Every structure is written in structure tokens, then in C-alpha cells.
Amino acid sequence: MLVVILLFDIALVAWSLHLMEKAVQHKEFSLMLAGGLVALAAAAMLVVYFLMGHCMTYLLQLS
């Protein structure tokens, strides 16, 4: 499951870099903002995955 999430995150980061590159070319702030938000979503998804993994491990040890 981690491999799938990592591949999805790599795709999100690549897309955000593409958006930011287009933003620089066209001098558009909205594309730069969109690229930043996509990169932030990729980072947040990894953080939530690792937090839930630790939480589930802890909860399974209690039972």
C-alpha cells in the first residue's frame, strides 16, 4: 500500500512542478498557487498516512 501512495505522491509532485513551470512561463499567480496547493496536498497525504499507521499500530497493540 505504501508503494501505491508513494507513486501517487510522486505524480502529484510532478504535476505541481509542471503547474509552477507553466506559471513562470505565463507569469500567472493562479497557476503558482495551484502548484503550491497540489504540493501541499501531497505532503499532507504522506503525513496522514504515517500518522494513521502509527495510530493503528498502537490501537492493535491495546487489544
Side-chain angles (χ1 to χ4, degrees):
M1 186 68 174
L2 178 61
V3 174
V4 174
I5 291 176
L6 284 176
L7 289 175
F8 189 68
D9 270 346
I10 290 169
L12 282 176
V13 169
W15 183 36
S16 72
L17 290 175
H18 176 72
L19 285 173
M20 290 181 189
E21 182 181 78
K22 291 292 181 186
V24 170
Q25 288 175 356
H26 298 291
K27 296 181 180 161
E28 281 193 43
F29 177 72
S30 60
L31 283 176
M32 186 63 75
L33 182 62
L37 290 174
V38 170
L40 183 65
M45 190 169 69
L46 274 180
V47 168
V48 167
Y49 177 80
F50 286 118
L51 286 176
M52 284 306 297
H54 291 297
C55 180
M56 293 304 290
T57 303
Y58 175 73
L59 289 175
L60 290 174
Q61 287 177 355
L62 289 178
S63 45

